[in-house]
Amino acid sequence: MFDLIRTYQLDIMLGLSAACMSFTLLLFFTRFLEKRRKMILIGMEFIATLLLFSDRMAYIYSGLPGYRGYVMVRVSNFLVFFLTSAIVFEFNLYLMDLLVTSGIAKTTPRRLEATGTAAVIGMFFIVLSQFTGLVYYFDDNNRYHRGPAFLLSYLIPVVCPLVQYTVIRKYRRALSRLIYTSLVLYIFVPIAVGIIQIFSYGISIVNMAMVLVSISLYIFTYLDVNEEVMKAHRSEMEDLNEERNSAKRLFDQTATAFVAAIEKRDAFLEGHSERVAEYAKRIAGRVKKGEDECDEIYYAALLHDVGMIGMPDSILSKTEKLSDEERRIMRQKPEISAEILGSISEYPYLKEGVLYSHEKYNGSGYPKGLKGKEIPEIARIITVADAYDTMTSRQRYRDPLPYPIVREEFVGKSGIQFDPEFAEAMIQIMDEDNTVRERAEMMKVESELKCGNYRDSVSVGIPVTPRITEILFDFIPSDASDGSFCSPAVILFDSYDRLVHTDNKSIDAYCYLEYGELWFDGHYVSTGARDMEVDILDNGPSEETDKSDANGTAVSYHIKAARYDDHMTIRMLSPAKTVNIIVALPDKSKSSYIGLTGENGILKGISIRQTDEKIGEGDIKKIVSGESFIDRLESDIPNVQIDRDRSDATEGIRIEDEMRVDFHTMTLPSASLIWHCPYVVIYYSEDGKVYGKGYREYALIKINGECTGDETLADNRFTMKKNDDFPGWDTWKAVNKEGMECSVEFVKKGNKVTMATENLGIYIENTTVISDGPGEVYAALTGDQTALTDIRIRKWL
C-alpha cells in the first residue's frame, strides 16, 4: 500500500489540495454558519490546502539544482512544518468558538488557552530552526534530511490534540453526535497516521490525512447544521400541528356546545347530532375517504341541525301530526342552517353539507330537488347517517326501530332516497354493529324483577339455541300477597328486540309472536306454538315450599332449555315439581326467547349460563312434523330448504371456464324482508363443501343486490342496477313468495371469477379476483328463508 502511495502521492496530493480548496471556496458562499465560525473554518481549510500543496512542492523541488530549486525546497519545507502547528492553532480557535459561542462553556477552558500558546511556540520553534538546522537541514545536492530535534516538531501536532480531546470529552454530552464524531476524527486520524509517518520515510501521509479530516469537518458541520435545521423544521411543524389541533379542539368544543345548547330545546334530540357525525365519519371511512375529508364530513354532520334554532317551540314539542303550514316551516331548517354556517367562510363544506342534507337521490327531496350526483357527496353521506340515527333512536311518537326494519329501509330505499354506495356502507356498518351487539347482549338479563300483577314486569328475552342454557333464580313471595296466588312464570316468544309486547302497534313493528306461557306447577297456555307436550313429575313434600308459603322465604328455581330446528325442550325445576315441556314452533325460521315474569313476588339473583353441551337431531321428541317446501322436482344436485340465514346450502359446484346454474326459488311463508331470497357464495374448501375444511369465502352475493367478501382473500368488483322493468320491492317479495326461475352465469379465467344474474329487473354482476389460494373455486346456493329446487348445472367446454 505504501509503495502505491509513493508512486502516486504527487497526484494524490494535487487532487486532495484541489478538493480542499474547492471546499474553501464553498465556505465563502455558505450562509448557514455564523460569521466567526465560518472564517475559522475557511482558515482551517486554506491552511490544510496550503500545507498539502507545500508538501507536494517540497517533493517536486527536492534535489533540483539552481536558484529556483534552492528557494522552493526551503520555502515549501518551512511551510509544511510551520503550518502543521498553525492548523493546531486554528483548530483550537474552532473549539473555543464552538464551546463558548454556542453556550456549552461559559468561559474558554484553560486547557485550550494552553494549547493555543503551545501552538504559537511551535510555530516560533520552526522559524528558529531555519537558522539552526535542529528540525531538518539540506545537503549540497539540495535534498532534505531530518535534524537532531526532528521528533520535537511532532510534540505540538501530537500532544496538543490529545489535550484538546480531554476538553471535547468533558463536554461530549452537550455536543451533537455528528460534531463529536468529526472532532474525534480530526484529532485521532492525524495522530495515528503521524505515528506511522515516523517509521515511513519518504511519504507525506500525515498531511494527506490532515486534508481529509479538514474536509470531513466541513461535511460533518454541514450535516449537523442540516440536522439542526430539520429538527427546527420538525419542531415548527409540531408547533403548527399543535396549533392546528388546538384550533380544531376549540372548534370541536364550540360546535359541540352550540349543538348541545340547541338540542336542549327537545329532549328527543339530545345526542342526535353527535351520533349522526360519528356515523357519517364511519361511512366516509368505509368508502376510503382521507382523514381530512372524514373530519370535514364529521363537522358538517355535527352541525346539520343548527337550523333547529329557528324552529318554534310549539312545533318541536308537538306530539300530534304536523299541519301543512308546520311542515312548511320545518322544511326551512336546511336553509336556516346554511345561512348560519355560510358565515364561516374558511369551511365552505359546512354550508354545502347542511343545505342539501334533505335532498333525496331520486330528486324528490328539498330544498332544491337535486337528483343523484347533483347532490354534493358530503350531503349524501349526511342524509344516510341522519336517517339511520333517526330510525334507531327513540322519538316522541315511537320507540327505536329494530335492526331488521332499519336494514329493510336502507335496502329498499337505496337509489330512491339514499345514494346506493353510502347506503351499502351503512348496511355493512349496521351488520357489523348488530353482530357485536348480539354477542355482547346475548346472555344479559336483569338480575332482579319485582312482580305485582301478572306480567307487570318481564325480563328481556333469553335466547334459546342448540346449546343448553341454564337459568337460575330465587323467588320471594311478596309480603303484601295476603294469600293471593304468587309464583314465577315463563313466557315463550319471538321478537326483533327480545322484549315482550302487548299493544298492536309494537307487535306489528317488532314482529312479536308469543308461543305460550308456562308455570312451574305444570300449567301452560299455548298460543302461537303449533303444539306443546307437558310431562309433570312430583318431587314430593318440600320443607322449602312450606317455609316459602309460611313466611316468604326464598325458593330456588332452575330452568334448562335448548332447541333443534322447529322444536324446543324446556325443563323447569322447583322444590315441588319437575316439569318437562316440548314445544313445536311454527317453523324453523323463528327465533325463540324465554322471558321471566311472575305474580306477587320478587325474582332475585337471576343468572344465565350457556353450557358447551349441544343438542342435535333426535335429542328432542318430534311432536309435530315439520313442513317441507322442497318436495319438488330434483335435478343435478339435491334440493335445499334454508329456514334461517345461511342455515343450509347446496352441494358445492366447481366453477370451470363458463357455466350456468338454473334453479327454482320460493321464499318461505314466514319470509317478510327483501333479503329473504337466494344467495350465491363463492369459496374454496378442501372437500368442496360450504364451511368445509380449509374454508375460504371469497364473496357472498344476494340476488336482491348485496355483496360482501373478505378483502384479505379477494377483491370484489360489484355492480347492481335496477332496470326499467323493476316492479318495486313489494312486488319483488310477492313474486319471490309465489316462486320464480333464476339463472346465474359464471365465467372463470385464471384467478378471476365473474358472476352475473338478472331477476325481476335487478341486474347483478360481480367479478371476484382471488388474491392468493388454491386454483379450485366453488359456488353454492344458500339464502335466508327460501326453498331452492330443480337445480340444473350447464357447463360449456
Side-chain angles (χ1 to χ4, degrees), residues 8-18 48-62 72-73 76-77 80 204 207-208:
Y8 296 104
Q9 74 170 337
L10 293 180
D11 295 331
I12 295 171
M13 288 178 173
L14 183 61
L16 289 174
S17 297
T49 302
L50 186 58
L51 173 63
L52 191 58
F53 186 77
S54 299
D55 203 7
R56 184 173 184 272
M57 291 297 103
Y59 277 97
I60 292 173
Y61 287 98
S62 178
M72 288 301 297
V73 78
S76 59
N77 275 283
V80 168
S204 293
N207 294 333
M208 293 182 193

Side-chain angles (χ1 to χ4, degrees), residues 585-649:
L585 302 173
D587 55 56
K588 298 176 185 177
S589 68
K590 297 290 186 287
S591 295
S592 49
Y593 299 97
I594 288 177
L596 300 178
T597 186
E599 190 172 357
N600 297 319
I602 301 173
L603 282 76
K604 204 173 184 67
I606 302 170
S607 64
I608 314 296
R609 184 176 75 89
Q610 191 174 58
T611 69
D612 293 330
E613 188 179 351
K614 191 174 182 180
I615 65 171
E617 189 173 5
D619 292 334
I620 302 178
K621 175 186 173 184
K622 289 276 188 180
I623 58 175
V624 178
S625 298
E627 191 172 3
S628 174
F629 296 92
I630 56 174
D631 292 334
R632 293 170 51 91
L633 178 66
E634 193 166 271
S635 296
D636 295 328
I637 58 177
N639 299 337
V640 63
Q641 180 171 317
I642 303 123
D643 296 286
R644 300 170 66 82
D645 181 35
R646 298 189 66 178
S647 60
D648 206 346

Side-chain angles (χ1 to χ4, degrees), residues 465-466 562-569 615-620 622:
T465 69
R563 69 173 284 180
Y564 182 79
D565 285 347
D566 57 353
H567 276 63
M568 180 164 52
T569 177
I615 65 171
E617 189 173 5
D619 292 334
I620 302 178
K622 289 276 188 180

Side-chain angles (χ1 to χ4, degrees), residues 408 664-678 703-704 726-741 759-760 785-786:
E408 177 92 343
H664 182 273
T665 176
M666 182 182 72
T667 54
L668 305 183
S670 57
S672 60
L673 301 171
I674 291 171
W675 63 89
H676 289 163
C677 65
I703 69 167
N704 66 290
F726 174 63
W729 288 115
D730 289 338
T731 304
W732 155 275
K733 291 192 285 187
V735 173
N736 265 275
K737 191 154 287 192
E738 292 172 5
M740 66 178 185
E741 290 294 318
N759 303 283
L760 294 177
Q785 299 192 40
T786 187

